[in-house]
Structure formats: C-alpha cells, structure tokens
Amino acid sequence: MAEHIDVSIEHRNLPEPATNSKPHPNTCPGCGSHYRADELAEHLWVCPQCNHHFPVGARDRIKQLADEGTFVEEAADLRSEDPLDFFDLRPYQERLAEAELRSGLGDAIVIGRATLERVECELSVMDFQFMGGSMGSVVGEKFARACESAAERQVPVVSVTSSGGARMQEGILSLMQLPKTVCAVEDLKDAGGALISVMAHPTTAGVIASFASLGDVVVAEPGALLAFTGPRVVQQTTREKLPDDFGLAESNMRFGHLDGIIGRRDLRPYLGRVLRLFSHNGHGR
Amino acid sequence: MAAEDEVHLRNRLGRLKALGLLRGARISGELSRLQKQLERISEASDEEIWQHVELARHDDRPYTLDYVERLFDDFIELHGDRSRAEDPAMITGLARFAGRTVAFMGHQKGRDVHERARRNFGMSYPEGYKKAMRVMDLAERHRFPIISLVDTPGAYPGVAAEQHGQGGAIARSQALMSRLTVPITACIIGEGGSGGAIATALADRVLMQENAMYTVISPEGCAAILWRDAGEKVKAAAALKPDASSCLRLGVIDAVVPEPPEGAHGNWKEAARLLGEALQSSLEDLEGVPGAELRRRRRAKFRQLGVFAASTESTGLSTAATPARK
C-alpha cells in the first residue's frame, strides 16, 4: 500500500523519466494501448486497436491451434548439453537453466501430435522467450523427430517458427542443425508427408536458411521480420539505406517468398483448410 | 599467460587430490572441473586458436581459382543462374580431375582491391547459390561427381540479397544437395562462414584444410553479441572452437587435409598437391556406392549431428543420447 500519493502539478517541470527503460510487455508498440494479460490472451495476443501481433509463447500457440485436449507432447525430456564448455560473460549452462526457469520449457521448441480442426497433424512450435528461440542441438533434434513422427503416421507437419538463428553457444554444432533439419524435411517429403511452415516474428538467420523456408506451403504473420540478416547488421555492414519495410512479411510477400500473410485470428481456420486439402487424397506415395 | 594459469591450476589440483580422505562429492566436482580446465589449456590456448583464424584469412592463402588452376584440366567455367544474374563470388564449372569429368563449385575471394570488390569478398548473393544449384542439377543428370570448395566469410548481408531471398536460397541449396545421388566431396579451404558455407557443404565427405576455420558466426560477430565488444574476438574464437581439430572431434568434418609445414600460403604448389590427393581419394572411396545408398548415408550422417541429453526430471540424472563421434 502506498502511504502517500502525490498528485501535485509541480512534477510538470521535472525532467522526463528515462526513456530508455523498456516498455511494459503488454503495451502495444504499434499504438501505445495497454492491456491486461488476460485481455491480450483473449484476443490471441493481437492488439484489438491496431492489429499488432504480440509474440506468443509455444504453449499459448499450441492452445490456439490444437483442438482442445488433443495435443500430446513428444521428446519433452531432451536438454542441451554443453559440448564446447562455452563460457562468454556467463556459462552457457547457467543461461540454459535461467531460460528453463523463466519459460518453463526444456528448450526453444515444443513438438507433439495433435488434431487441428479435427485433422491429424504434428505440431512443431518455437518459443522466442527461450534464448531468443535459438536453434541448438535440441531444437534440431526435436524438429527432426517431429518430421519422423509425422512420416510414420502419414500426417503433415505444421511448423511455427520464431527464432533469432543458430545458437552460438553450441558453436559449429549449431550450424550443423541447418543441414540436419533440411535432411529431416527431405525424408518427410520422400515419405509423402507435407510441411506447412508458419513464420512468426522473428524468423531469421539459421532457421529461415533451413527448414522454415522449405514448407510445401509457407505463410507468415503480419509485420513479422523474416530475414537471413537482420536490419541492424545489414545497416552496419553495408551502410545502405534500408527500405521502411525491410525484411518484413509484407516485403517478403511482394518479392515472392511467401504464399500468404495470415492474421493470427485467421490462422487456425486457414491451416485447417490447408491440412484438409493435403489429407483428402490420403498420404502414401 | 596460459603457462601461468597452468601452474596455478596444477597446484590447486595437486592440493585437492591430496585431500583423498575427504572424498566428498563437492570436492570431486571441483577436481573434475579443474581437470577439464587443464585439458583445455593443454589443448590449445586462446592465442593458438586465434592464429588459426588469422591463417584461414591470410591474404596470401590460395583461393578457389588457384586450386582450380593447379588441380584441374580443361576447366570450363559456367556462368549465371539462368534467371537473374551472374554472381562472381561463386565459381562453377566442369573440369577433368584424375581422369574423370567433375562438376565444380567454390566461393572465390579476390586477390586485389578490384577483384575483391568485383567478387564481393567471396560473399554470395542468392544468385550465386542458384547458379551452384543449376550445376548440381547438371551433375545429377550426367552422373558427374561434385567437388565443392568452401571459402567465404558468409552469405552477403545486403538489402538486395534479402529481397532476392538469401535464406530461402541457402535452404534450397542444402535441400538439393540432400537429394542428389552423385558423390559430393566438399572441402573448407579457408573461411567456412556460417550459412553461406553450409549452403554448398552438405556433402558425403566434408574435408577441411589444417589451417581453415568453420564456424556458425565470425568471432567478431560473436564477441559483439555475447561480450558486447567486438574487441573480444580472441576470446570468442577460443569459445567457438572453429579450428579443424575441434571440428573433427565434434564429428562435423570427416578428415583434415594437411598443409605444407609453412602453411598453404607459403607453398601453393604443395598445398594444391595435398588437397588434390585428398579429393581424389574421397572420389575413389565414394565411386562404387550406389546413388540411393549414398544419399541415405549422407542424410543419416547429418541427421545424427548434435549433442544433447534425455533428462529424467525426477532424479535430475542425465544420460548422453548421441555423443559426438570420436
């Protein structure tokens, strides 16, 4: 309880509060509206005023997409090892433990079987909160297992990506997750399976340069940054003037890299339609 | 500095070991931690790893075309991606090598200022990878084995490169390589820089020259992000372990190609001879394997890369699931 609330107008002449402090996560960066968490959750984490798409964690995303009670998680027990004994300003082990505590996830991806609008599929959903959604050995392995599980059951994979790229702390092994996930997608396709790729904000670097780009159908959420190299690094290395929509979903759509930009409220019905088109003729070769 | 650390650590290790009768868990944990640190010091110091980075980027190091000139007969360069542009940062072509026709691709850095500008320092646009893919298709149709030399700081990070689909091009180039049924041999001959490198390195045999580097991010980039100071590049390089022996230990490459004692930059002719030998023996090893089997093995090899554990949450125990190959 505050003992004293000062409502005097003398504060007018005080210096502006520091502007470098981070805005509240529930304040819309698009229009400045502020929401309670439950309000945002009810609107699927989309701003009802300006349609800004807030980031969604893996668990919430699965709740939004899977039919209630149908999601069965797979490979939940996989954890990153620290193959390089990586130590920057802090040990990698410590960063992992902290990320697990904060996000409640074992790594930056959750996979499992589910039905979406009553169509059987495999879900593979990334979570940006876990070390920037970076792809290390566990993300690569779980995505590959999702493909294998889908191929075995002859169902499509629905993949939702949100990642800053490969996980530097696993060094060259994180780069190897690119060919690893690519090979997994090719095995899935050879088995007659389909990959539906949904790119959420941000899908960059190692993830856009591997499985996320290989969907039979590739769509993105509005305003998502989809780039191999992000705007800051491009600016710094080339000193080029960047277009306002650099790397955004809308720009990617214009240049022919996407099949559609699907708002989050329409995502589930859209995916349902796509899945039904892929499943009507059965899957085999 | 490393030597001083080593003496200090050895002293502490000696004292801890003397406490044999106290064999508590905490102390044995401490023991193994110190032992690990010692092993790291005797492996290679930060400065030694940084030397690899400097050698891999050495101005006088032979580049792709220098090897092409010394190893191949009848090299015919093929240009253009057939849809948009010619990317001089990526060389492709057909050649005779050790009595057979091979399809070839490799990143090309420039020797002088003008060539560097023209070849964009060996950083490809999507058009470069699309050109490589066109030549892979050609190789598949005519059953030519593929040789790919990798020497790039990374894929080009520019506005046009993004607009033309840099990420998708790298993904599709790998996907195509995973589908081919002809033998593919890749060798990292200088810088194996991240996505730009793996785009043409999903091979049956991945070789790496002794003083080359292979890394997910440049040490400077890693230092800027994790240390918030690009000046910490030496520490970042040591942490990333981009050197050939580390890559071999992690199972990322299949063999290290020796360089002449003075380094490839000191003796191009000998470096080319050693590389030629390694490429030829790889080609011969892969020749008899049926295409479908080759592809199956290639995919299986990349499928198993990674180190992770399956934790049993209730006990906190962990067991290594797929340890890196020795």
Side-chain angles (χ1 to χ4, degrees), chain A residues 79 84 148 187 229 257, chain B residues 162-163 241 299 303 309 311:
Chain A
R79 293 292 181 278
L84 301 186
E148 284 161 2
D187 278 344
T229 313
H257 305 308
Chain B
E162 287 299 328
Q163 292 176 336
K241 300 189 175 72
R299 285 192 194 168
R303 170 68 184 82
S311 75

Side-chain angles (χ1 to χ4, degrees), chain A residues 8-260:
Chain A
S8 63
I9 56 165
E10 278 81 11
H11 286 290
R12 224 186 265 166
N13 294 331
L14 284 179
E16 287 281 307
T19 47
N20 61 354
S21 64
K22 275 195 177 167
H24 191 276
N26 290 1
T27 299
C28 176
C31 65
S33 311
H34 186 79
Y35 303 96
R36 292 192 315 267
D38 60 311
E39 284 176 313
L40 276 175
E42 196 182 308
H43 289 99
L44 307 178
W45 297 87
V46 176
C47 175
Q49 295 291 332
C50 74
N51 200 35
H52 169 77
H53 283 52
F54 285 80
V56 185
R59 299 270 179 228
D60 283 340
R61 176 76 72 174
I62 289 165
K63 237 180 259 167
Q64 292 175 13
L65 294 180
D67 296 332
E68 209 178 330
T70 63
F71 181 73
V72 180
E73 188 169 352
E74 295 168 335
D77 58 340
L78 298 193
R79 293 292 181 278
S80 256
E81 293 271 83
D82 182 10
L84 301 186
D85 280 324
F86 199 96
F87 193 106
D88 46 88
L89 298 177
R90 296 163 59 201
Y92 176 38
Q93 300 269 18
E94 200 176 298
R95 288 183 191 269
L96 281 170
E98 189 193 274
E100 181 163 355
L101 274 175
R102 197 170 41 187
S103 65
L105 300 173
D107 212 298
I109 193 168
V110 177
I111 63 162
R113 54 180 68 190
T115 67
L116 193 157
E117 292 207 332
R118 293 189 303 286
V119 189
E120 276 284 339
C121 66
E122 177 82 13
L123 283 178
S124 160
V125 180
M126 296 189 77
D127 195 309
F128 193 74
Q129 242 198 61
F130 194 103
M131 294 188 73
S134 55
M135 174 160 72
S137 299
V138 172
V139 170
E141 178 69 17
K142 284 172 88 167
F143 179 81
R145 289 199 191 178
C147 290
E148 284 161 2
S149 166
E152 208 171 283
R153 293 180 293 128
Q154 295 285 295
V155 300
V157 174
V158 174
S159 148
V160 184
T161 49
S162 175
S163 169
R167 187 172 295 166
M168 281 175 285
Q169 289 89 347
E170 293 189 22
I172 189 69
L173 284 174
S174 68
L175 184 66
M176 291 302 115
Q177 304 312 304
L178 278 68
K180 175 170 176 164
T181 55
V182 167
C183 288
V185 171
E186 290 303 316
D187 278 344
L188 169 74
K189 289 179 176 174
D190 283 355
L195 172 66
I196 318 298
S197 176
V198 179
M199 298 195 195
H201 177 76
T203 295
T204 58
V207 170
I208 200 168
S210 62
F211 66 94
S213 289
L214 298 177
D216 292 296
V217 176
V218 184
V219 298
E221 288 198 329
L225 175 69
L226 319 172
F228 179 66
T229 313
R232 204 168 43 85
V233 175
V234 170
Q235 230 287 315
Q236 277 171 4
T237 43
T238 66
R239 316 256 167 226
E240 284 178 82
K241 165 109 180 64
L242 304 192
D244 291 342
D245 64 351
F246 174 81
L248 299 187
E250 292 70 17
S251 161
N252 275 279
M253 183 77 196
R254 211 151 30 83
F255 281 96
H257 305 308
L258 294 174
D259 293 303

Side-chain angles (χ1 to χ4, degrees), chain B residues 84-95:
Chain B
R84 186 169 208 139
E86 154 68 1
D87 186 347
M90 176 73 74
I91 306 277
T92 64
L94 297 175

Side-chain angles (χ1 to χ4, degrees), chain B residues 233-253:
Chain B
K233 58 192 181 183
V234 177
K235 280 189 197 160
L240 287 167
K241 300 189 175 72
D243 56 300
S245 61
S246 298
C247 287
L248 186 67
R249 190 170 48 80
L250 292 165
V252 167
I253 58 169

